[in-house]
Amino acid sequence: MTTITTGSSTIPPPPLPTDEDARGGDSPSPTVQTAADPSQLALEPVTPSRISTFDFGDGEDSAKALPPVDGGRHAWQFLAASFLLEIFVWGYAFSFATILVYLQSHDPWQQNSLSALSAIGTTQLGLLYVLPTFAVVVLRRYGEYVRLVQWTSLVVSCCSMFLSSWATQLWQLVVLQGFLCGVANTLIFAPVFLYFSDWWVARRGMAWGVIGAGNGFGGFILPWLINAVLEAKGSAWMCRVWTAFTAVTFAASIILLQPRIPFVKPTDGRAPWLAVDWRFSHNPVFLCMAISTLFASLAYLPVANYLAVYAASFSSSTMTINLVVGLFNLAACGGCILVGRIADYSLTLGLTLVGLCGLMLSLTAWGLADTLGKVYAFAVLFGLTGQQAAASAAVTKDLSLNSPQTSTLIVTLLAAVRGATSLFIPVVLQALYDSRHAKEAPTFGKYGFLRMIVFVGAASAGLALCGLLMGGLRRKYAIKSN
């Protein structure tokens, strides 16, 4: 390879443009414009910058400066739009417990069993977890249709929720709110996965934590709002009010959610369906992260699902129960950012701390909680420290060679692990909760929660062990760029 010599230094020529620089390829690096006169290289000092250029490939002098990664107005705009979508896309599914309580006691829904009514929220939540893996693959290949898919999905989601306000049978709610809203909301949110790795690289864990904090924020504020509308106007008007809220929020988020690298439709055929480096799939680092995600879900979901039941053992006040759940979700909001930031610094430290904190809190703060004040304390502490999901994006730096396609697939696969766990965990929890001893209050494990508390502690210990193993695995098996 020839070189250009300037003084005492030798500078290689700039790389030539490739077809992979378009969005359809596997390389995340945009094309660099070359100088017309090589001698100009001696006159311009080379300075590092987070700003790069993108060549539209039309043969013209049309290179466009790209916004910087890991900061800047456009990157934070993307994060704000993603945060809003997180609140309302996931908010209904995670607030469904509030709706379920109402449906159980009002016609025509109270004639259905609890498990049958739960199918509405479970269907939507399962789709939100599992579908992104497939949605991202399709939208990455046909990037010119992303906006059309989002706006169409907004119409489908809002119309389905609006029509459900006239539903009179359970299957109608399952189809309209569970299935159609689940699919549509997944497609609205999918570009967050699609564009995330382009906007955030070095601070990926922190950024993913900010997005995940929207889940906790929504879990804090939405149950209060939904419950207020249900009590004042009933479920039909709740569906109509929710439609209006989501229509405005989704529209604003879609407008703000912009890709960093413009999509250029390839002229010589589409890229492969899965243009990823599949070495990560059997890499011990990924397998350890997947197992840690399973353990984290087994530890977190019992608390998230049954904390309200435990609080009800101390007080029958709806306000008190909602406050416990609200504090838990609000603490989770800050915990996502905290754990994500720690994972950026050290993934091993982040996983280990989440596991150890879960182990200690479940066996002490929860196991020995004998007053409502102690339940409040446990809710805040566990919500703050239990956010292993915020570390999902940080592991991609060891597995993806900075490929956005591979990074996105890794994050969606880890989300699918959490989704699969959420589908079978209700059956496990029903077996762990001993309703026969719901009135008993021994020193440890009160009100029939002994087995569940021990289960959460054991799952947290497994997560901590995965965290300790992750350090050695990363040093040995992390995929390094050449």
Side-chain angles (χ1 to χ4, degrees):
M1 180 174 65
T2 61
T3 59
I4 301 169
T5 304
T6 60
S8 59
S9 61
T10 301
I11 304 175
L16 294 176
T18 66
D19 291 337
E20 291 181 342
D21 292 319
R23 168 45 82 190
D26 189 36
S27 172
S29 302
T31 305
V32 177
Q33 292 290 295
T34 60
D37 184 0
S39 64
Q40 294 178 2
L41 294 173
L43 303 177
E44 299 179 0
V46 179
T47 57
S49 174
R50 293 182 300 162
I51 301 178
S52 49
T53 59
F54 182 82
D55 187 352
F56 286 91
D58 55 4
E60 302 292 336
D61 186 14
S62 56
K64 179 181 179 181
L66 296 178
V69 299
D70 291 322
R73 180 178 68 84
H74 295 88
W76 286 108
Q77 173 183 300
F78 169 83
L79 216 56
S82 302
F83 179 84
L84 283 176
L85 283 179
E86 181 84 12
I87 293 174
F88 286 92
V89 167
W90 296 85
Y92 189 83
F94 281 104
S95 301
F96 192 74
T98 301
I99 302 169
L100 191 60
V101 171
Y102 179 88
L103 295 179
Q104 279 185 284
S105 57
H106 291 78
D107 287 326
W109 315 112
Q110 60 182 346
Q111 60 185 344
N112 299 285
S113 66
L114 177 63
S115 59
L117 291 172
S118 299
I120 304 168
T122 302
T123 300
Q124 185 177 138
L125 190 60
L127 291 170
L128 287 173
Y129 272 123
V130 176
L131 277 186
T133 302
F134 305 98
V136 166
V137 170
V138 176
L139 293 179
R140 187 180 296 281
R141 182 177 171 86
Y142 298 97
E144 68 268 36
Y145 299 113
V146 169
R147 305 296 263 181
L148 176 61
V149 168
Q150 282 189 297
W151 287 112
T152 303
S153 299
L154 184 153
V155 173
V156 172
S157 178
C158 292
C159 288
S160 298
M161 183 60 71
F162 188 69
L163 289 174
S164 72
S165 65
W166 286 282
T168 58
Q169 298 183 38
L170 178 60
W171 70 267
Q172 295 169 342
L173 289 185
V174 173
V175 172
L176 291 171
Q177 294 187 11
F179 181 76
L180 289 178
C181 284
V183 173
N185 291 352
T186 298
L187 294 175
I188 293 172
F189 192 82
V192 174
F193 291 108
L194 190 65
Y195 302 147
F196 174 78
S197 297
D198 289 332
W199 283 110
W200 297 90
V201 181
R203 304 169 70 188
R204 195 169 284 172
M206 181 279 298
W208 194 249
V210 170
I211 296 174
N215 197 332
F217 184 79
F220 172 70
I221 194 171
L222 290 179
W224 298 91
L225 297 177
I226 290 174
N227 186 67
V229 177
L230 285 173
E231 294 297 330
K233 295 293 185 179
S235 60
W237 272 103
M238 187 278 299
C239 294
R240 295 162 193 163
V241 171
W242 182 263
T243 299
F245 266 96
T246 53
V248 174
T249 305
F250 287 171
S253 299
I254 291 172
I255 293 172
L256 293 174
L257 200 70
Q258 299 289 338
R260 178 174 179 266
I261 302 175
F263 180 85
V264 177
K265 185 176 180 179
T267 57
D268 55 350
R270 301 277 180 180
W273 280 100
L274 290 174
V276 298
D277 184 350
W278 283 101
R279 284 183 292 171
F280 81 86
S281 61
H282 56 271
N283 189 296
V285 174
F286 174 76
L287 297 177
C288 183
M289 190 64 183
I291 295 172
S292 74
T293 300
L294 174 62
F295 278 129
S297 300
L298 293 175
Y300 188 81
L301 291 174
V303 180
N305 290 345
Y306 273 78
L307 184 60
V309 178
Y310 192 76
S313 302
F314 296 89
S315 173
S316 59
S317 169
T318 303
M319 180 71 70
T320 299
I321 296 172
N322 284 340
L323 182 59
V324 171
V325 176
L327 288 174
F328 175 75
N329 288 319
L330 187 61
C333 181
C336 285
I337 301 174
L338 176 64
V339 174
R341 186 66 189 90
I342 294 174
D344 275 338
Y345 173 75
S346 171
L347 180 60
T348 300
L349 178 62
L351 296 179
T352 305
L353 282 178
V354 171
L356 291 178
C357 288
L359 173 62
M360 292 187 293
L361 289 172
S362 61
L363 299 182
T364 56
W366 191 13
L368 300 175
D370 54 3
T371 65
L372 194 57
K374 293 179 180 179
V375 177
Y376 286 142
F378 168 72
V380 172
L381 292 174
F382 196 90
L384 185 66
T385 60
Q387 308 307 315
Q388 181 270 355
S392 299
V395 76
T396 62
K397 291 182 284 188
D398 292 327
L399 297 170
S400 65
L401 292 177
N402 287 328
S403 164
Q405 290 88 339
T406 307
S407 297
T408 300
L409 182 60
I410 292 170
V411 172
T412 56
L413 287 175
L414 293 176
V417 172
R418 289 189 290 275
T421 308
S422 70
L423 293 179
F424 72 77
I425 197 65
V427 179
V428 176
L429 297 182
Q430 188 174 4
L432 291 174
Y433 176 58
D434 190 356
S435 58
R436 296 172 301 174
H437 300 89
K439 301 297 183 180
E440 299 179 6
T443 303
F444 182 85
K446 295 175 174 56
Y447 308 119
F449 280 85
L450 175 61
R451 290 180 297 190
M452 190 178 299
I453 291 171
V454 174
F455 179 82
V456 171
S460 298
L463 173 57
L465 180 60
C466 288
L468 294 174
L469 292 174
M470 183 64 79
L473 294 176
R474 292 179 68 207
R475 286 190 293 270
K476 186 174 182 180
Y477 295 106
I479 301 175
K480 305 296 183 182
S481 58
N482 295 327

